């Protein structure tokens, strides 16, 4: 009996003794991460994505800078370091400078036109309703929102091909409409074949593709503004236009900045649209852009060093553009404005 | 009785509040808004309708009049586009590549974002900025070296190679978006899971991932559209491989300069556009929600 008692006691004691020191190890185990569970977790969760990302994204980016300093033609094992010679060639190359000029034109025009138009449409949808009672949007406006978003779901290449047919001089929709309206001078006018209209026609296509997306973005932004603010403005006597300019635009400023940067980056690329509408750069190279020239230099001419230099120029242009947008937004008081 | 009258009064009050009288100015503004938006909708819809209609016409009918309806609704053009021009097999390739890339990038991206958002370790900030850098640089910069990387590892002009590159380029956006999402999930839940004995793997797959579903859905939609519409990557590193849809469509349109079969081209464009458009119309509510979510973060 006693021995049994003693035993049971000892078991008890052992158990309690085991419980007491085990409390700190729980704490300790957290700081000591070397369990198999944790190691495998980190290897797979971080290692796998990072490996793919570094091999297929980061390393090409880094290598491009290196290639841009060589005269490498890709298939020869030898590549000579020629310093900034490629860049000097680019900036004295008339065709590349023309392409850069076209890109700059796109960067200036596309974001402004797209954003202004989509802001106007978004404003019409959101504050077009009654001026009495609750603030609300235009009736039955969801139809417009759904339709506006259509182009965003269409592959850019399909948009380009479609509009290429619409602009077709003889069988196209545009000239068909214009001649049926009595404007016979457009009977077989080649919109994409005339150097005065090719760029404008191309810009229209890109704007067509993106207005709806930014309209939906701005509508969401405007709906995020509390209705009380609009009501207060109305009680203070602000009309619709004044409300849009003084309340809506400052409050969705961040969305506008985002849209501006996205649209500018797209304008610096623009490869798909240009390739679909005028693959050769258009009449007199009037729609040629840097990305087309890069593609041609690399994969047709095989001058990979030079093409990489173009890529670097494109990347730097993108960074400068984003920096400028941030700077302008800050200088014009983007930070000081009320944010919700 | 009293409650009834009260509720009736409430109702009429409610009614008044919701349906205020339209002033003449309101009517003008409403009419102008509707007109402007209708014109815009026509600009969007007419080209699409015209493309659809033209896809049933013969080339001579297209050139005779851009407006006339086709003399009969024939599907020859679709058959031609689907089989002779190979749009059918391009479509299948696109589905395979985009589908598998989407699954892989969602899993890997969610895992990576989770680790970066939930654990502090040496270099975690650096990795995060590395991801941001991938978002900032234009894809064009990477094309030339990428071409040679793919050639050296023997994946140039193959669908698995294309899939891997898609995963790589969709990863930064996925991680960036889901990072903020995982960051916002409460920490207590991880602790509760750990107390219940779940390891790191189980916590992620059974607790955190299901909670991130709304975020995952938004990212998946954007990734799908981005990858489905991708043109540059396949043209650069898959030029001689089995074509994907965007690439095949461009090649088909490129031939058109010589052999004139515009009806088939319109059919090919329609085949490309319609499936995504239908999916969009079904899911448009979720998608419009994602736009606001995706760009405000």
């Amino acid at each position: 009996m006693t021995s049994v008692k003693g035993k049971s006691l000892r078991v008890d004691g052992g158990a309690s003794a085991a419980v007491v020191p085990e409390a700190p190890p729980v704490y300790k185990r957290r700081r000591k991460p070397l369990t198999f569970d944790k190691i495998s977790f980190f290897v797979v969760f971080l290692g796998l994505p990072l490996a793919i990302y570094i091999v297929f994204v980061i390393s090409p980016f880094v290598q491009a800078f290196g290639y841009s300093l060589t005269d490498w033609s890709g298939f020869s094992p030898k590549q000579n370091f020629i310093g900034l010679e490629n860049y000097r060639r680019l900036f004295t190359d008339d065709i590349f400078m023309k392409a850069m000029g076209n890109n700059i034109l796109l960067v200036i025009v596309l974001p402004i036109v797209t954003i202004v138009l989509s802001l106007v449409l978004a404003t019409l949808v959101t504050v077009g309703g009654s001026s009495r009672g609750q603030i609300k949007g235009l009736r039955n406006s969801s139809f417009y929102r759904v339709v506006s978003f259509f182009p965003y779901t269409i592959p850019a290449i399909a948009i380009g091909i479609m509009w290429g047919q619409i602009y077709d001089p003889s069988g196209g929709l545009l000239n068909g409409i214009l001649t049926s309206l009595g404007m016979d001078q457009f009977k077989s006018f080649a919109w994409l074949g005339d150097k005065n209209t090719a760029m404008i026609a191309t810009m229209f296509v890109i704007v067509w593709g993106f207005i709806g997306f930014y309209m939906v973005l701005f509508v969401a932004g405007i709906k995020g503004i509390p209705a009380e603010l609009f009501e207060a403005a109305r009680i203070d006597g602000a009309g619709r236009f004044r409300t849009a300019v003084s309340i809506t635009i400052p409050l969705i400023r961040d969305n506008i900045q985002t849209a501006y940067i996205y649209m500018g980056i797209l304008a610096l690329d623009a490869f798909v649209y240009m390739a679909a509408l005028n693959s050769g750069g258009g009449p007199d190279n009037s729609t040629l852009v840097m990305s087309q020239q890069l593609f041609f230099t690399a994969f047709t001419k095989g001058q990979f060093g030079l093409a990489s230099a173009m890529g670097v120029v494109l990347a730097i242009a993108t960074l400068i553009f984003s920096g400028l947008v941030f700077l302008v937004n800050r200088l014009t008081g983007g930070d000081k404005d009320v944010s919700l | 009785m009293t409650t009834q009258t009260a509720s009736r009064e409430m109702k009429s009050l409610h009614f008044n509040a919701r349906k205020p009288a339209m002033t003449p100015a309101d009517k003008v503004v409403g009419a102008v808004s509707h007109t402007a938006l209708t014109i815009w909708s026509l600009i969007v819809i007419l080209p699409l309708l015209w493309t659809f209609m033209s896809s049933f016409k013969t080339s001579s009918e297209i050139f005779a009049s851009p407006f006339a309806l086709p003399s009969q609704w024939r599907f020859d053009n679709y058959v031609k586009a689907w089989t002779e021009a190979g749009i059918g097999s391009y479509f299948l390739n696109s589905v395979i590549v985009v589908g598998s890339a989407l699954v892989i990038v969602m899993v890997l991206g969610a895992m990576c974002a989770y680790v970066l958002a939930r654990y502090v370790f040496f270099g975690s900030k650096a990795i995060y900025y590395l991801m941001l850098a991938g978002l900032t640089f234009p894809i064009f910069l990477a094309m030339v070296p990428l071409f040679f990387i793919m050639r050296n590892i023997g994946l140039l002009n193959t669908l698995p190679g294309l899939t891997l590159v898609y995963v790589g380029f969709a990863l930064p956006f996925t991680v960036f978006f889901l990072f903020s999402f995982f960051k916002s999930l409460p920490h207590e839940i991880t602790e509760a899971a750990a107390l219940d004995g779940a390891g790191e793997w189980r916590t992620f797959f059974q607790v955190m991932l299901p909670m991130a579903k709304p975020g995952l859905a938004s990212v998946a939609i954007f990734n799908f559209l981005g990858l489905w519409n991708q043109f540059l990557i396949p043209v650069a590193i898959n030029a001689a491989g089995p074509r994907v849809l965007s690439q095949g469509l461009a090649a088909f349109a490129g031939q058109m300069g010589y052999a004139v079969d515009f009806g088939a081209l319109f059919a090919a464009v329609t085949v490309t556009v319609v499936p995504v458009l239908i999916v969009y119309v079904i899911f448009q509510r979720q998608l419009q929600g994602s736009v606001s979510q995706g760009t405000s973060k």
Side-chain angles (χ1 to χ4, degrees), chain B:
Chain B
M1 270 299 279
T2 39
T3 47
Q4 234 173 10
T5 34
S7 79
R8 199 175 292 153
E9 253 173 27
M10 285 279 283
K11 224 181 231 166
S12 67
L13 262 175
H14 200 56
F15 185 73
N16 275 338
R18 284 189 59 188
K19 267 211 168 163
M22 295 272 279
T23 63
D26 288 341
K27 280 184 187 151
V28 172
V29 171
V32 169
S33 305
H34 273 297
T35 316
L37 287 161
T38 305
I39 292 173
W40 164 241
S41 304
L42 282 178
I43 295 176
V44 171
I45 292 177
L46 276 183
L48 298 174
L49 271 184
W50 181 72
T51 304
F52 183 67
M53 190 187 77
S54 301
S55 70
F56 294 99
K57 291 168 142 185
T58 62
S59 289
S60 55
E61 278 179 336
I62 291 169
F63 279 101
S65 161
F67 304 119
L69 285 171
S71 56
Q72 63 186 86
W73 296 89
R74 56 177 85 74
F75 286 88
D76 301 6
N77 289 332
Y78 284 90
V79 174
K80 231 182 276 172
W82 191 261
T83 54
E84 279 174 41
I87 295 295
S89 63
Y90 303 155
F91 196 92
L92 191 69
N93 289 340
S94 263
V95 170
I96 294 169
V97 171
V98 174
S100 36
L102 195 60
V103 171
I104 298 172
V105 81
M106 291 315 294
V107 173
L108 293 185
M111 287 173 4
C112 189
Y114 175 72
V115 172
L116 290 179
R118 287 298 177 131
Y119 298 86
V120 180
F121 54 91
F122 178 74
S124 63
K125 264 270 174 301
I127 295 173
Y128 181 73
Y129 285 120
L130 204 62
M131 290 282 167
L132 261 184
L135 268 183
T136 328
F137 284 106
I139 302 186
F140 256 104
L141 180 59
M143 274 310 121
V144 170
L146 189 63
F147 179 86
F148 289 98
I149 291 172
M150 299 311 284
R151 207 182 57 164
N152 291 342
I153 57 177
L155 288 176
L156 191 69
N157 297 328
T158 61
L159 292 185
L162 193 59
T163 309
L164 274 177
V165 174
Y166 274 11
V167 169
F169 278 92
L171 198 67
F173 169 74
T174 313
V175 170
F176 188 59
F177 186 100
L178 290 177
F179 176 84
S180 52
F181 205 88
F182 279 121
K183 200 126 213 180
S184 68
L185 293 181
H187 261 282
E188 290 76 16
I189 290 168
T190 338
E191 276 161 26
L195 276 179
D196 284 347
E200 305 286 356
W201 286 80
R202 250 186 98 170
T203 311
F204 177 73
F205 282 105
Q206 292 196 334
V207 181
M208 301 310 280
L209 207 54
M211 284 181 67
K213 256 186 201 151
L216 289 173
S218 303
V219 184
I221 290 171
F222 277 110
N223 277 339
F224 170 77
L225 284 177
L227 295 177
W228 185 261
N229 298 351
Q230 183 55 251
F231 177 69
L232 173 64
I233 296 177
V235 192
I237 64 159
N238 192 35
R243 286 171 178 153
V244 292
L245 193 53
S246 54
Q247 198 187 355
L249 198 63
F252 187 40
Q255 293 168 9
M256 296 307 294
Y258 311 104
V260 189
D261 190 352
F262 289 102
L265 181 64
F266 284 116
V269 172
T270 308
V271 167
T272 314
V273 170
V274 166
V276 185
L277 212 55
I278 291 174
V279 173
Y280 161 63
V281 171
I282 296 170
F283 291 108
Q284 51 95 5
R285 261 175 205 288
Q286 288 88 322
L287 188 72
Q288 301 210 342
S290 322
V291 171
S292 49
Q293 245 187 353
T295 42
S296 63
K297 279 199 170 138

